[in-house]
């Protein structure tokens, strides 16, 4: 449990550092005389760097995950505390942002793989939901800290100093206490906690070199690639609100920057709560797809609600409700998706979870970059309210279409729809595990091959 908590904390810190720019974007646009289009290109290039460097996360299957996470956090903390707030111009700001994005790409591959290593399938939903809290809390911290401290310090640089200091603190904690399983142990499937004793025996017979041979060939399959594409497309609305939420709320609804960050904070809070809650529900009913589809439907409804407010003069509270529904629904399907995704990978080769998440990060970041560049083409008015209304409305319609496209691609994930049948399979598996635990065979490895 300690390792899971620390992994989530490191993820919070890295995503806080990745998104801290979004909380002060309007101030940076003014300070650097930066156009909205330049800002969107900067965010897109940061994501592209994450896609390129994130492939290195696949090496965590052979060389371990914790070192990549810990020293990645140190590197990003140094950049955020020293480089970004002292950027002399927008070009250096872009380079520093790309470096932070590259580090995040590696952590995106290593940290969810580590969460999977420490969680059996029957609790995978709430565990991966807890990991989803990492990006959510990172974004939440951006909004909360900016809301509380910008009126005091009145400089965008202050947000980077606070963020970097937080990163150093989490680095020290993770350096001292974060550990991981051996490659032989993490290269197996654990359905329930009762299997751990058997897994330790089975690990002695695993050939790590053989099981990780040709990793990319093994993980680049339709059951893995299709859900990644679907999820990434479904998260276009998340990319939009995490990177441009403050700009959208200021330009379209006329809120102050502090109010915009406050609205966003409520949304990310709902995201974290539903990420764990929906993961817990999917664990209880032992199927993932019904929960994913239900959350996608709620996301569609929330986008429609938010879009309907464009061109009106909504109150602060009504926009908070719309953002909470939207962010909460996205968090709900995210945690459950990652549970189903790790189980799909385990059906192919559990020893290559890191490689699968490296592929995930590559595709995820490319789609994120493409969507951000598309937004730059569609939304060119960040301050002129009349033009902004029509452009943002068109963008949210595109997000709506993308959300619907996620549904068929999610169907490639492992597992069915019937909770009764799924529970029967679990009971049969548990019965077999009980027999092996009580039999104490002379040759446990031969019996374990049947599980």
């Amino acid at each position: 449990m300690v390792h899971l908590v620390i992994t989530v904390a490191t993820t919070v810190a890295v995503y806080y550092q990745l998104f801290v720019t979004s909380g002060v974007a309007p101030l940076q646009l003014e300070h650097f005389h930066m156009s909205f289009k330049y800002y969107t290109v900067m965010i897109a290039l940061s994501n592209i760097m994450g896609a390129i460097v994130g492939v290195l996360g696949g090496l965590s299957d052979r060389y371990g995950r914790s070192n990549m996470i810990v020293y990645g956090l140190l590197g990003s903390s140094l950049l955020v505390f020293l480089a970004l707030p002292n950027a002399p111009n927008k070009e250096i700001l872009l380079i520093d942002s790309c470096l932070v994005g590259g580090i995040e790409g590696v952590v995106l591959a290593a940290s969810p793989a580590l969460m999977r290593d420490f969680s059996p399938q029957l609790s995978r939903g709430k565990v991966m939901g807890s990991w989803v809290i990492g990006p959510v809390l990172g974004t939440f911290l951006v909004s909360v800290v900016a809301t509380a401290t910008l009126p005091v310090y009145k400089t965008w640089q202050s947000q980077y100093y606070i963020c970097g200091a937080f990163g150093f603190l989490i680095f020290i904690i993770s350096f001292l206490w974060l550990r991981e399983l051996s490659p032989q142990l993490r290269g197996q499937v654990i359905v329930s906690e009762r299997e751990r004793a058997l897994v330790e025996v089975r690990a002695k017979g695993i050939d790590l070199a053989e099981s990780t041979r040709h990793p990319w060939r093994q993980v680049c399959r339709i059951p893995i690639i299709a859900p990644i594409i679907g999820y990434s497309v479904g998260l276009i609305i998340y990319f939009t609100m995490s990177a441009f939420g403050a700009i959208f709320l200021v330009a379209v609804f006329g809120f102050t920057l502090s109010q915009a960050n406050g609205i966003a904070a409520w949304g990310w809070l709902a995201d974290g709560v539903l990420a764990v809650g929906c993961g817990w529900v999917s664990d209880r009913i032992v199927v993932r797809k019904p929960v994913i589809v239900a959350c996608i439907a709620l996301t569609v409804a929330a986008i429609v609600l938010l879009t309907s407010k464009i061109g009106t003069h909504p109150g602060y509270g009504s926009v908070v409700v719309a953002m909470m529904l939207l962010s909460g629904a996205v968090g709900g399907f995210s945690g459950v998706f990652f549970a189903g995704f790790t189980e799909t990978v385990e059906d192919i080769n559990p020893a290559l979870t890191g490689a699968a998440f490296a592929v995930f990060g590559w595709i995820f970041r490319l789609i994120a970059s493409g969507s951000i560049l598309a937004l730059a083409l569609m939304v060119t008015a960040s301050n002129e309210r009349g033009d902004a209304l029509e452009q943002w409305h068109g963008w949210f319609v595109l997000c709506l279409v993308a959300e619907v496209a996620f549904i068929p691609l999610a169907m490639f994930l492992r597992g069915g729809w019937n909770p009764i049948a799924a529970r029967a399979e679990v009971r049969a598996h548990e019965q077999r595990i009980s027999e092996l635990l009580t039999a104490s065979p002379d040759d446990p490895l031969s019996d374990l091959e049947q599980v």
Side-chain angles (χ1 to χ4, degrees):
M1 178 60 72
V2 172
H3 304 300
L4 296 177
V5 172
I6 295 175
T7 303
V8 171
T10 58
T11 309
V12 170
V14 169
Y15 276 88
Y16 179 18
Q17 293 166 351
L18 181 69
F19 292 126
V20 64
T21 298
S22 66
V24 293
L27 296 178
Q28 286 185 328
L29 293 178
E30 180 181 355
H31 178 87
F32 290 108
H33 304 290
M34 185 169 30
S35 68
F36 180 69
K37 182 173 291 187
Y38 186 94
Y39 174 75
T40 56
V41 170
M42 181 177 74
I43 299 299
L45 290 177
S46 176
N47 278 279
I48 291 173
M49 181 63 76
I52 295 171
V53 180
V55 175
L56 297 176
L59 298 175
S60 68
D61 290 323
R62 282 182 173 269
Y63 304 111
R65 320 206 197 277
S66 61
N67 285 339
M68 290 188 173
I69 296 171
V70 172
Y71 292 109
L73 175 58
L74 175 61
S76 61
S77 298
L78 289 169
L79 284 167
V80 169
F81 191 82
L82 298 176
L84 280 161
N86 296 300
N89 52 55
K90 62 184 180 182
E91 289 77 21
I92 298 300
L93 184 73
L94 184 151
I95 293 171
D96 294 339
S97 297
C98 286
L99 292 175
V100 174
I103 293 173
E104 182 272 339
V106 175
V107 175
L108 177 64
S111 61
L114 186 60
M115 295 291 285
R116 169 264 163 192
D117 295 343
F118 284 104
S119 60
Q121 289 183 353
L122 291 181
S123 61
R124 187 73 52 78
K126 61 177 177 287
V127 168
M128 298 311 293
S130 300
W131 179 82
V132 168
I133 289 179
V136 171
L137 277 184
T139 316
F140 177 75
L141 280 176
V142 171
S143 300
V144 169
V145 174
T147 301
T149 62
L150 270 179
V152 177
Y153 296 109
K154 297 181 173 60
T155 66
W156 59 267
Q157 292 91 339
S158 64
Q159 301 307 297
Y160 288 103
Y161 292 130
I162 295 170
C163 181
F166 178 76
F168 288 133
L169 174 63
I170 302 302
F171 161 74
I172 293 171
I173 294 172
S174 59
F175 179 82
L176 293 176
W177 288 293
L178 185 62
R179 299 294 182 268
E180 60 186 305
L181 298 178
S182 69
Q184 288 76 18
L185 284 174
R186 66 172 178 251
Q188 300 182 63
V189 179
I190 303 177
V191 176
S192 66
E193 286 289 347
R194 298 189 67 213
E195 272 183 88
R196 290 196 180 276
L198 299 179
V199 163
E200 291 178 3
V201 176
R202 184 166 52 191
K204 298 175 183 178
I206 285 184
D207 186 339
L208 179 63
E210 182 61 31
S211 62
T212 57
R213 191 185 302 277
H214 306 300
W216 308 117
R217 187 186 305 171
Q218 292 190 57
V219 299
C220 290
R221 302 183 182 187
I222 290 178
I224 290 179
I225 300 297
I228 293 174
I229 294 173
Y231 177 72
S232 303
V233 168
L235 246 65
I236 289 178
I237 186 64
Y238 169 77
F239 304 146
T240 301
M241 301 314 295
S242 59
F244 306 103
I247 291 175
F248 164 73
L249 293 169
V250 170
V252 175
F253 297 131
F255 292 115
T256 66
L257 182 57
S258 180
Q259 287 176 322
N261 278 297
I263 292 170
W266 281 106
W268 301 129
L269 179 62
D271 191 313
V273 171
L274 283 187
V276 177
C278 291
W280 178 83
V281 169
S282 72
D283 288 339
R284 295 287 293 178
I285 65 176
V286 204
V287 286
R288 313 291 187 194
K289 291 176 182 176
V291 181
I292 292 174
V293 172
C295 289
I296 293 173
L298 182 57
T299 306
V300 169
I303 293 174
V304 171
L305 176 61
L306 188 62
T307 305
S308 70
K309 295 183 180 298
I310 296 176
T312 66
H313 300 281
Y316 182 88
S318 65
V319 177
V320 166
V321 171
M323 288 293 291
M324 290 184 72
L325 287 174
L326 177 59
S327 298
V330 171
F333 70 63
S334 292
V336 182
F337 169 83
F338 281 115
F341 179 73
T342 55
E343 291 162 356
T344 302
V345 173
E346 288 175 338
D347 273 3
I348 295 172
N349 187 344
L352 293 177
T353 304
F357 271 108
V359 172
F360 171 87
W362 187 74
I363 296 174
F364 178 80
R365 286 302 168 204
L366 286 181
I367 291 177
S369 303
S371 65
I372 290 168
L373 290 173
L375 187 145
L377 294 175
M378 290 184 64
V379 181
T380 58
S382 60
N383 295 315
E384 297 83 9
R385 195 169 177 219
D387 293 335
L389 297 182
E390 182 178 350
Q391 292 169 2
W392 279 107
H393 187 278
W395 178 254
F396 278 108
V397 170
L398 179 62
C399 291
L400 193 64
V401 173
E403 210 64 46
V404 174
F406 178 21
I407 296 176
L409 293 171
M411 297 305 102
F412 285 91
L413 290 173
R414 166 193 181 273
W417 294 77
N418 189 335
I420 297 175
R423 286 174 179 166
E425 291 179 7
V426 170
R427 285 195 295 270
H429 182 86
E430 287 287 279
Q431 180 61 34
R432 178 59 179 150
I433 294 300
S434 296
E435 293 172 358
L436 287 169
L437 286 171
T438 56
S440 300
D442 294 332
D443 185 8
L445 287 176
S446 62
D447 279 350
L448 283 169
E449 291 173 357
Q450 303 172 31
V451 180

